[in-house]
Amino acid sequence: SQQGEEDPQALSIQEGENATMNCSYKTSINNLQWYRQNSGRGLVHLILIRSNEREKHSGRLRVTLDTSKKSSSLLITASRAADTASYFCATDLVGGSEKLVFGKGTKLTVNP
Amino acid sequence: DTEVTQTPKHLVMGMTNKKSLKCEQHMGHRAMYWYKQKAKKPPELMFVYSYEKLSINESVPSRFSPECPNSSLLNLHLHALQPEDSALYLCASSQTSGRGYQETQYFGPGTRLLVL
């Protein structure tokens, strides 16, 4: 079964608004990563947050991690039409083998 | 150079054909991955190579045969595929942490495969 579950499955906002996506997982992790995928293209890495970190920033992106709740959130501030994409969280499990487990993703649409 | 390249971009094949997908990276990464992605679904891991050796096979049917000729190249040989194998095939690479952690994966643009 999928380790990470994103919420919501789909999100539609206007340009300039903030977008928040959440990811929940079930077992202990080494790190959690967020990726973006434009339609039909490869995935692009956004942020990696380690289990001992609580928050990371990259430009307009802010990622938080709450290991007690086994959840993470991705905030995109001042969204742009170019942010329209699918966003996936991926977890690196403690004691897991050399792989990431991807969640189902959130489809973000930013309307101009 | 943080690019992973994949060829071809598109591939149409019949169920009796043999074809190969190619992936290349020059970032010095020693871990390489094949994923399969169906429309509106997350990527599903197929194979992992670490230091040119197959380390993970996620119970993939034998009609998919991976090969890692050297540290920069990864191939996926296809034979006798089924229509349900039509999907986007993604290659990725990453550094190996040496501590059992997964590092950032860099993805290629994918090969869109259609099996008729």
Side-chain angles (χ1 to χ4, degrees):
Chain A
S1 64
Q2 297 292 340
Q3 166 74 339
E5 295 288 337
E6 284 93 336
D7 169 51
Q9 292 186 14
L11 180 60
S12 182
I13 59 174
Q14 296 299 122
E15 260 191 331
E17 294 180 340
N18 296 341
T20 300
M21 289 160 268
N22 302 297
C23 172
S24 60
Y25 56 92
K26 297 177 183 176
T27 60
S28 296
I29 59 171
N30 293 313
N31 66 59
L32 185 146
Q33 303 181 30
W34 285 92
Y35 289 82
R36 183 187 76 224
Q37 185 177 34
N38 290 82
S39 180
R41 305 254 180 118
L43 280 74
V44 174
H45 180 260
L46 297 176
I47 288 184
L48 182 155
I49 186 164
R50 301 196 187 277
S51 61
N52 61 352
E53 297 175 313
R54 292 296 167 259
E55 187 171 315
K56 286 190 85 168
H57 296 257
S58 177
R60 294 183 296 112
L61 307 180
R62 172 178 169 248
V63 167
T64 61
L65 178 65
D66 187 333
T67 53
S68 66
K69 294 182 179 178
K70 291 186 171 59
S71 68
S72 174
S73 67
L74 170 67
L75 169 67
I76 304 174
T77 60
S79 63
R80 305 166 181 169
D83 295 327
T84 295
S86 292
Y87 291 81
F88 295 95
C89 69
T91 48
D92 173 21
L93 306 181
V94 171
S97 48
E98 301 167 25
K99 64 182 183 181
L100 293 175
V101 180
F102 283 83
K104 294 181 180 179
T106 292
K107 171 62 179 169
L108 173 65
T109 302
V110 181
N111 301 300
Chain B
D1 182 5
T2 58
E3 188 179 25
V4 176
T5 59
Q6 289 188 244
T7 56
K9 291 184 179 179
H10 301 275
L11 180 62
V12 179
M13 60 186 291
M15 289 188 284
T16 58
N17 293 157
K18 286 184 180 181
K19 297 286 184 182
S20 296
L21 309 184
K22 294 190 175 183
C23 173
E24 189 168 7
Q25 58 89 14
H26 295 287
M27 293 178 277
H29 292 167
R30 303 307 296 273
M32 296 187 77
Y33 312 81
W34 279 116
Y35 289 88
K36 172 184 177 180
Q37 186 179 28
K38 302 283 266 186
K40 299 183 179 181
K41 297 290 186 182
E44 295 177 27
L45 183 66
M46 301 174 71
F47 302 103
V48 179
Y49 274 83
S50 180
Y51 294 91
E52 296 93 70
K53 293 187 178 177
L54 184 65
S55 60
I56 296 178
N57 175 342
E58 293 284 85
S59 302
V60 178
S62 60
R63 57 186 184 268
F64 296 91
S65 175
E67 177 195 22
C68 190
N70 60 55
S71 60
S72 299
L73 292 174
L74 187 65
N75 298 321
L76 185 63
H77 303 297
L78 314 173
H79 173 55
L81 295 192
Q82 304 297 310
E84 59 265 28
D85 296 322
S86 298
L88 180 68
Y89 287 83
L90 295 163
C91 173
S93 70
S94 73
Q95 293 180 342
T96 52
S97 70
R99 294 172 295 170
Y101 297 171
Q102 270 294 295
E103 299 294 347
T104 297
Q105 292 189 13
Y106 294 83
F107 283 80
T111 294
R112 187 158 299 282
L113 173 67
L114 177 62
V115 182
L116 300 177

